Amino acid sequence: MTSSILLQGGTVLYHDDEDYVTALSDTDVLVTGNLIAKIATGIEVPQGTTIIDCKGKIVSPGFIDTHHHLWQTQLKGRHMDETLLDYMVAGNMQSYNFTPEDMFWGQLAGCLEAIDAGTTYVLDHSHGNYTPEHATQCLSATTASGLRSTYAYATPSVPLTSWTVSTVVPSSDILSSWSLDQLESLAKSQPHANGRLTIGLGFDLYFLPQEVVIGIFERFRRAGVKVITSHVAKNPVFGKASTVELLDSYGLLGPDIVLSHATNLTFAEHAVLHAAKVHVSSTPSSEAQTALGWPVALRSDVHGSLGVDSHAFCGSSILSEARAALLLARQETNAALLDKGEFPQKLVGGAREAFNLATVGGARAVGMGDKIGRIREGYLADLVVVDGRTPGMAGVSSWDPVVAVVGHSGVRDVETVIVDGVVRKRGGKLVGVELEGGERLEWEGVAEKVERSREEVQRRIEGVNLEKARELVVGMWHVDESKIKAVEY
Ligand SMILES: [Zn+2]
């Protein structure tokens, strides 16, 4: 029998056809199977339905994260005070020290941290795959977590053949055939995990010859990847070459592309992206820390969405990123006026625009605007219930529920999370997961596993030469070290 869930009597955040969010009070949402079946007041309860009392609570579309490296849990906290170059070596490159089993626990904990924060979909730029088994373990973990995701398959940005206490040897096999073959077969056999898991391409190798880049895009578009995603940001240290111009001149731009960051681009580059319906994922926390520049997601000339990027830098809440995007857009525009001795008449952006980046904007970015991102009959049942009566929410949730969610809610206020019609968080607590083979594990068990894995990864990291790896990155990426300056404050 098809399962059904009734979210009863909540305040439902409903997007109209113009994307304006209206709060429908005392409204029920009936979920049948994995779909939103009905939105109305006083829905008659079908037999066998699980009822979730939503009085005093806000029912929101699940949040959508369009740029995240979900494998990185064991690196959490190590990089809070590091620059981008430091992190590349001490963090990003450490996938070398992850076994496939480490990938599994990092990925599973990463997925669950996202669900805990109300995220129901992640575009996962998975760039830690040293072997086919690494990718297999990531996919297995995402499947077990229950998250909806597009697995944007990638290999390490700086692949190594060996890394010891005294040496680092880069691999000449940048585009290994096993990875291309595995990605192709995954793409052709998708969707996975009962339809929740689709396959994308994570690609950052634009230094390769034109015919190779075009060949990769053509091969994987033919194989049916849902999204192609790349890191794009211009700055004096990592180079000012235009990936946008390159993609445009190769004839590769299209609505299946999500560019993370897209910071410090010219107006002309943004115009090209906008016209080609390319979407951008701003990750305000990581962009602020790593000196990538002002987030662009709220700009009127950008098809915007939001991502967490690395949960090694910050928490996994898309609402936190929505707030940060709003504040930084205001900081940027206010500061420009203050610098001229002027003052803003009105602030840029608003709670509803920020909320839309986290919902409908994200859904469109990943080509799922007609399936997720809004509460609508016939849409997939990816829903979040936020408690409106917690200390943080009382006083604002009945004033304006959208402002309450964007401006005042925290992860602890996310009471229930439903993905694909299945409850994954209930009463403020993650529901246990079922691993391949049938073993059930509560969150505490996952935490124990990931902590143990973290210790082992850390021990291996202490056995590699970070200085030598830094020299390698500086050389390979033509980093202009003369531009790296001390900061005074
Ligand atoms: Zn990233």
Short mmCIF file of all heavy atoms in Angstrom, two decimals, residues 282-331:
data_model
loop_
_atom_site.label_atom_id
_atom_site.label_comp_id
_atom_site.label_asym_id
_atom_site.label_seq_id
_atom_site.Cartn_x
_atom_site.Cartn_y
_atom_site.Cartn_z
N SER A 282 26.13 30.65 -5.48
CA SER A 282 26.95 31.46 -4.56
C SER A 282 27.07 30.73 -3.24
O SER A 282 26.10 30.15 -2.73
CB SER A 282 26.29 32.82 -4.31
OG SER A 282 26.41 33.63 -5.45
N THR A 283 28.27 30.77 -2.67
CA THR A 283 28.53 30.13 -1.38
C THR A 283 29.12 31.20 -0.46
O THR A 283 30.34 31.24 -0.26
CB THR A 283 29.49 28.94 -1.56
OG1 THR A 283 30.77 29.44 -2.00
CG2 THR A 283 28.99 27.96 -2.61
N PRO A 284 28.27 32.09 0.07
CA PRO A 284 28.77 33.31 0.73
C PRO A 284 29.80 33.05 1.83
O PRO A 284 30.79 33.78 1.91
CB PRO A 284 27.49 33.94 1.29
CG PRO A 284 26.40 33.43 0.42
CD PRO A 284 26.80 32.05 0.02
N SER A 285 29.60 32.03 2.67
CA SER A 285 30.56 31.82 3.76
C SER A 285 31.94 31.47 3.22
O SER A 285 32.94 32.07 3.61
CB SER A 285 30.08 30.68 4.69
OG SER A 285 28.87 31.02 5.28
N SER A 286 31.99 30.49 2.33
CA SER A 286 33.32 30.08 1.84
C SER A 286 33.93 31.15 0.95
O SER A 286 35.14 31.35 0.94
CB SER A 286 33.25 28.73 1.14
OG SER A 286 32.75 28.85 -0.16
N GLU A 287 33.10 31.86 0.20
CA GLU A 287 33.64 32.92 -0.67
C GLU A 287 34.24 34.05 0.17
O GLU A 287 35.28 34.61 -0.18
CB GLU A 287 32.54 33.47 -1.59
CG GLU A 287 32.15 32.49 -2.69
CD GLU A 287 30.83 32.82 -3.36
OE1 GLU A 287 30.25 33.89 -3.08
OE2 GLU A 287 30.36 31.99 -4.16
N ALA A 288 33.59 34.37 1.30
CA ALA A 288 34.12 35.44 2.17
C ALA A 288 35.46 35.01 2.75
O ALA A 288 36.42 35.77 2.77
CB ALA A 288 33.12 35.74 3.29
N GLN A 289 35.52 33.78 3.22
CA GLN A 289 36.74 33.32 3.85
C GLN A 289 37.91 33.21 2.86
O GLN A 289 39.04 33.55 3.18
CB GLN A 289 36.52 31.95 4.50
CG GLN A 289 37.84 31.33 4.91
CD GLN A 289 37.72 30.35 6.03
OE1 GLN A 289 36.69 30.27 6.69
NE2 GLN A 289 38.78 29.63 6.27
N THR A 290 37.62 32.70 1.66
CA THR A 290 38.72 32.39 0.74
C THR A 290 39.01 33.52 -0.24
O THR A 290 39.68 33.31 -1.25
CB THR A 290 38.42 31.09 -0.03
OG1 THR A 290 37.18 31.26 -0.73
CG2 THR A 290 38.30 29.90 0.90
N ALA A 291 38.51 34.71 0.07
CA ALA A 291 38.81 35.91 -0.72
C ALA A 291 38.42 35.76 -2.19
O ALA A 291 39.14 36.17 -3.08
CB ALA A 291 40.31 36.27 -0.61
N LEU A 292 37.25 35.15 -2.41
CA LEU A 292 36.80 34.99 -3.80
C LEU A 292 36.01 36.20 -4.30
O LEU A 292 35.75 36.31 -5.49
CB LEU A 292 35.95 33.72 -3.93
CG LEU A 292 36.69 32.39 -3.87
CD1 LEU A 292 35.77 31.24 -4.22
CD2 LEU A 292 37.91 32.37 -4.79
N GLY A 293 35.61 37.08 -3.36
CA GLY A 293 34.86 38.26 -3.80
C GLY A 293 33.42 38.22 -3.34
O GLY A 293 32.99 37.28 -2.68
N TRP A 294 32.67 39.24 -3.72
CA TRP A 294 31.27 39.38 -3.29
C TRP A 294 30.38 38.32 -3.93
O TRP A 294 30.48 38.09 -5.14
CB TRP A 294 30.73 40.76 -3.65
CG TRP A 294 31.42 41.88 -2.96
CD1 TRP A 294 32.29 42.78 -3.52
CD2 TRP A 294 31.31 42.24 -1.57
NE1 TRP A 294 32.73 43.67 -2.57
CE2 TRP A 294 32.15 43.37 -1.37
CE3 TRP A 294 30.60 41.73 -0.49
CZ2 TRP A 294 32.29 43.98 -0.13
CZ3 TRP A 294 30.74 42.35 0.76
CH2 TRP A 294 31.57 43.46 0.92
N PRO A 295 29.48 37.70 -3.16
CA PRO A 295 28.55 36.74 -3.77
C PRO A 295 27.60 37.45 -4.74
O PRO A 295 27.21 38.59 -4.51
CB PRO A 295 27.77 36.17 -2.59
CG PRO A 295 28.05 37.05 -1.43
CD PRO A 295 29.31 37.81 -1.71
N VAL A 296 27.26 36.76 -5.82
CA VAL A 296 26.49 37.41 -6.89
C VAL A 296 25.05 36.92 -7.00
O VAL A 296 24.28 37.43 -7.81
CB VAL A 296 27.18 37.20 -8.27
CG1 VAL A 296 28.58 37.80 -8.26
CG2 VAL A 296 27.25 35.72 -8.64
N ALA A 297 24.67 35.92 -6.19
CA ALA A 297 23.40 35.22 -6.43
C ALA A 297 22.18 36.14 -6.48
O ALA A 297 21.23 35.87 -7.22
CB ALA A 297 23.18 34.14 -5.37
N LEU A 298 22.19 37.23 -5.69
CA LEU A 298 21.00 38.09 -5.65
C LEU A 298 20.94 39.12 -6.77
O LEU A 298 19.95 39.82 -6.92
CB LEU A 298 20.93 38.81 -4.29
CG LEU A 298 20.39 37.97 -3.12
CD1 LEU A 298 20.72 38.64 -1.79
CD2 LEU A 298 18.89 37.75 -3.24
N ARG A 299 22.03 39.22 -7.55
CA ARG A 299 22.05 40.24 -8.61
C ARG A 299 20.96 39.98 -9.65
O ARG A 299 20.64 38.83 -9.97
CB ARG A 299 23.41 40.25 -9.29
CG ARG A 299 24.48 40.93 -8.46
CD ARG A 299 25.85 40.74 -9.03
NE ARG A 299 25.91 41.04 -10.46
CZ ARG A 299 27.03 41.43 -11.08
NH1 ARG A 299 28.15 41.58 -10.39
NH2 ARG A 299 27.04 41.65 -12.37
N SER A 300 20.46 41.08 -10.24
CA SER A 300 19.36 40.92 -11.20
C SER A 300 19.84 40.31 -12.51
O SER A 300 19.03 39.81 -13.29
CB SER A 300 18.70 42.27 -11.44
OG SER A 300 19.68 43.19 -11.88
N ASP A 301 21.15 40.35 -12.78
CA ASP A 301 21.65 39.78 -14.04
C ASP A 301 22.22 38.38 -13.84
O ASP A 301 23.00 37.89 -14.66
CB ASP A 301 22.71 40.70 -14.67
CG ASP A 301 23.91 40.95 -13.76
OD1 ASP A 301 23.83 40.59 -12.56
OD2 ASP A 301 24.92 41.51 -14.23
N VAL A 302 21.81 37.72 -12.75
CA VAL A 302 22.33 36.38 -12.45
C VAL A 302 21.16 35.42 -12.17
O VAL A 302 20.23 35.78 -11.45
CB VAL A 302 23.27 36.43 -11.21
CG1 VAL A 302 23.60 35.03 -10.71
CG2 VAL A 302 24.56 37.20 -11.55
N HIS A 303 21.22 34.23 -12.76
CA HIS A 303 20.29 33.16 -12.37
C HIS A 303 20.90 32.51 -11.13
O HIS A 303 21.77 31.64 -11.23
CB HIS A 303 20.14 32.12 -13.48
CG HIS A 303 19.61 32.66 -14.77
ND1 HIS A 303 18.34 33.18 -14.89
CD2 HIS A 303 20.18 32.77 -16.00
CE1 HIS A 303 18.13 33.57 -16.14
NE2 HIS A 303 19.24 33.35 -16.83
N GLY A 304 20.44 32.92 -9.95
CA GLY A 304 21.15 32.58 -8.71
C GLY A 304 20.60 31.39 -7.96
O GLY A 304 19.43 31.03 -8.06
N SER A 305 21.50 30.79 -7.17
CA SER A 305 21.14 29.74 -6.21
C SER A 305 22.24 29.74 -5.14
O SER A 305 23.16 30.55 -5.21
CB SER A 305 21.04 28.39 -6.91
OG SER A 305 22.30 28.00 -7.44
N LEU A 306 22.12 28.86 -4.17
CA LEU A 306 23.05 28.88 -3.03
C LEU A 306 23.66 27.52 -2.74
O LEU A 306 23.01 26.49 -2.92
CB LEU A 306 22.30 29.33 -1.76
CG LEU A 306 21.76 30.74 -1.75
CD1 LEU A 306 20.81 30.92 -0.57
CD2 LEU A 306 22.89 31.77 -1.70
N GLY A 307 24.90 27.55 -2.25
CA GLY A 307 25.54 26.31 -1.84
C GLY A 307 26.34 26.52 -0.56
O GLY A 307 26.64 27.66 -0.18
N VAL A 308 26.67 25.41 0.07
CA VAL A 308 27.47 25.44 1.30
C VAL A 308 28.96 25.39 0.96
O VAL A 308 29.81 25.91 1.67
CB VAL A 308 27.07 24.25 2.21
CG1 VAL A 308 28.14 23.93 3.22
CG2 VAL A 308 25.74 24.56 2.88
N ASP A 309 29.27 24.74 -0.19
CA ASP A 309 30.65 24.50 -0.62
C ASP A 309 31.30 23.45 0.27
O ASP A 309 31.01 22.27 0.13
CB ASP A 309 31.44 25.81 -0.65
CG ASP A 309 32.70 25.70 -1.52
OD1 ASP A 309 32.99 24.59 -2.01
OD2 ASP A 309 33.40 26.71 -1.69
N SER A 310 32.13 23.88 1.20
CA SER A 310 32.80 22.89 2.05
C SER A 310 32.29 23.02 3.48
O SER A 310 32.44 24.07 4.08
CB SER A 310 34.30 23.13 2.01
OG SER A 310 34.91 22.29 2.96
N HIS A 311 31.73 21.92 4.01
CA HIS A 311 31.33 21.99 5.42
C HIS A 311 32.55 21.85 6.32
O HIS A 311 32.42 21.79 7.54
CB HIS A 311 30.21 21.00 5.75
CG HIS A 311 30.47 19.56 5.41
ND1 HIS A 311 30.63 19.12 4.13
CD2 HIS A 311 30.58 18.47 6.19
CE1 HIS A 311 30.83 17.80 4.14
NE2 HIS A 311 30.81 17.39 5.38
N ALA A 312 33.74 21.81 5.71
CA ALA A 312 34.97 21.94 6.51
C ALA A 312 35.15 23.39 6.95
O ALA A 312 35.81 23.67 7.94
CB ALA A 312 36.17 21.48 5.68
N PHE A 313 34.56 24.34 6.22
CA PHE A 313 34.68 25.77 6.55
C PHE A 313 33.57 26.25 7.49
O PHE A 313 33.77 27.14 8.28
CB PHE A 313 34.54 26.64 5.30
CG PHE A 313 35.72 26.63 4.39
CD1 PHE A 313 35.56 26.34 3.05
CD2 PHE A 313 36.97 26.94 4.86
CE1 PHE A 313 36.65 26.35 2.20
CE2 PHE A 313 38.07 26.96 4.01
CZ PHE A 313 37.91 26.65 2.68
N CYS A 314 32.36 25.73 7.27
CA CYS A 314 31.19 26.31 7.93
C CYS A 314 30.10 25.25 8.07
O CYS A 314 30.27 24.13 7.60
CB CYS A 314 30.66 27.47 7.08
SG CYS A 314 30.27 27.00 5.38
N GLY A 315 29.00 25.61 8.70
CA GLY A 315 27.89 24.66 8.85
C GLY A 315 27.22 24.39 7.51
O GLY A 315 27.53 25.03 6.51
N SER A 316 26.26 23.46 7.52
CA SER A 316 25.63 23.04 6.26
C SER A 316 24.26 23.65 6.04
O SER A 316 23.48 23.11 5.28
CB SER A 316 25.51 21.51 6.24
OG SER A 316 26.73 20.96 5.85
N SER A 317 23.95 24.76 6.70
CA SER A 317 22.62 25.33 6.57
C SER A 317 22.53 26.27 5.37
O SER A 317 23.23 27.28 5.30
CB SER A 317 22.27 26.10 7.85
OG SER A 317 21.15 26.91 7.61
N ILE A 318 21.63 25.93 4.45
CA ILE A 318 21.39 26.81 3.30
C ILE A 318 20.71 28.11 3.76
O ILE A 318 20.93 29.18 3.17
CB ILE A 318 20.56 26.06 2.23
CG1 ILE A 318 21.49 25.11 1.48
CG2 ILE A 318 19.87 26.99 1.26
CD1 ILE A 318 22.63 25.78 0.71
N LEU A 319 19.94 28.05 4.84
CA LEU A 319 19.33 29.29 5.35
C LEU A 319 20.41 30.24 5.87
O LEU A 319 20.31 31.46 5.71
CB LEU A 319 18.32 28.98 6.45
CG LEU A 319 17.03 28.32 5.98
CD1 LEU A 319 16.15 27.99 7.16
CD2 LEU A 319 16.29 29.21 4.98
N SER A 320 21.46 29.70 6.49
CA SER A 320 22.57 30.56 6.92
C SER A 320 23.21 31.22 5.71
O SER A 320 23.59 32.39 5.74
CB SER A 320 23.64 29.75 7.65
OG SER A 320 23.15 29.27 8.85
N GLU A 321 23.34 30.44 4.62
CA GLU A 321 23.94 31.01 3.41
C GLU A 321 23.01 32.06 2.79
O GLU A 321 23.48 33.05 2.23
CB GLU A 321 24.27 29.90 2.40
CG GLU A 321 25.33 28.92 2.90
CD GLU A 321 26.61 29.59 3.39
OE1 GLU A 321 27.15 30.45 2.67
OE2 GLU A 321 27.07 29.26 4.50
N ALA A 322 21.70 31.84 2.89
CA ALA A 322 20.74 32.82 2.36
C ALA A 322 20.87 34.14 3.12
O ALA A 322 20.88 35.23 2.53
CB ALA A 322 19.32 32.27 2.47
N ARG A 323 20.96 34.03 4.44
CA ARG A 323 21.14 35.24 5.27
C ARG A 323 22.46 35.93 4.94
O ARG A 323 22.52 37.14 4.80
CB ARG A 323 21.18 34.86 6.76
CG ARG A 323 19.84 34.91 7.44
CD ARG A 323 19.99 34.84 8.94
NE ARG A 323 20.44 33.58 9.45
CZ ARG A 323 19.67 32.51 9.63
NH1 ARG A 323 18.40 32.55 9.35
NH2 ARG A 323 20.17 31.40 10.12
N ALA A 324 23.51 35.13 4.79
CA ALA A 324 24.82 35.71 4.49
C ALA A 324 24.80 36.38 3.11
O ALA A 324 25.38 37.47 2.94
CB ALA A 324 25.90 34.62 4.54
N ALA A 325 24.12 35.76 2.15
CA ALA A 325 24.05 36.36 0.81
C ALA A 325 23.38 37.73 0.87
O ALA A 325 23.82 38.70 0.25
CB ALA A 325 23.27 35.44 -0.14
N LEU A 326 22.32 37.80 1.67
CA LEU A 326 21.58 39.05 1.82
C LEU A 326 22.45 40.12 2.50
O LEU A 326 22.56 41.25 2.03
CB LEU A 326 20.33 38.77 2.65
CG LEU A 326 19.20 39.77 2.66
CD1 LEU A 326 18.73 40.07 1.25
CD2 LEU A 326 18.03 39.22 3.49
N LEU A 327 23.09 39.73 3.60
CA LEU A 327 23.92 40.69 4.34
C LEU A 327 25.11 41.17 3.51
O LEU A 327 25.45 42.36 3.52
CB LEU A 327 24.43 40.06 5.64
CG LEU A 327 23.36 39.83 6.70
CD1 LEU A 327 23.95 39.06 7.89
CD2 LEU A 327 22.79 41.17 7.18
N LEU A 328 25.73 40.26 2.79
CA LEU A 328 26.91 40.65 2.02
C LEU A 328 26.54 41.52 0.82
O LEU A 328 27.27 42.44 0.48
CB LEU A 328 27.70 39.41 1.59
CG LEU A 328 28.44 38.73 2.75
CD1 LEU A 328 28.95 37.35 2.34
CD2 LEU A 328 29.59 39.58 3.27
N ALA A 329 25.38 41.24 0.20
CA ALA A 329 24.92 42.11 -0.91
C ALA A 329 24.69 43.52 -0.37
O ALA A 329 25.00 44.52 -1.01
CB ALA A 329 23.65 41.55 -1.52
N ARG A 330 24.15 43.60 0.85
CA ARG A 330 23.91 44.92 1.47
C ARG A 330 25.22 45.58 1.87
O ARG A 330 25.41 46.78 1.68
CB ARG A 330 22.98 44.73 2.67
CG ARG A 330 21.57 44.39 2.21
CD ARG A 330 20.64 43.97 3.30
NE ARG A 330 19.31 43.73 2.73
CZ ARG A 330 18.27 43.29 3.41
NH1 ARG A 330 18.39 43.01 4.70
NH2 ARG A 330 17.11 43.14 2.83
N GLN A 331 26.13 44.77 2.43
CA GLN A 331 27.44 45.32 2.80
C GLN A 331 28.15 45.90 1.58
O GLN A 331 28.71 46.99 1.62
CB GLN A 331 28.28 44.19 3.42
CG GLN A 331 29.62 44.62 3.94
CD GLN A 331 29.49 45.22 5.33
OE1 GLN A 331 28.68 46.10 5.58
NE2 GLN A 331 30.32 44.74 6.23
#
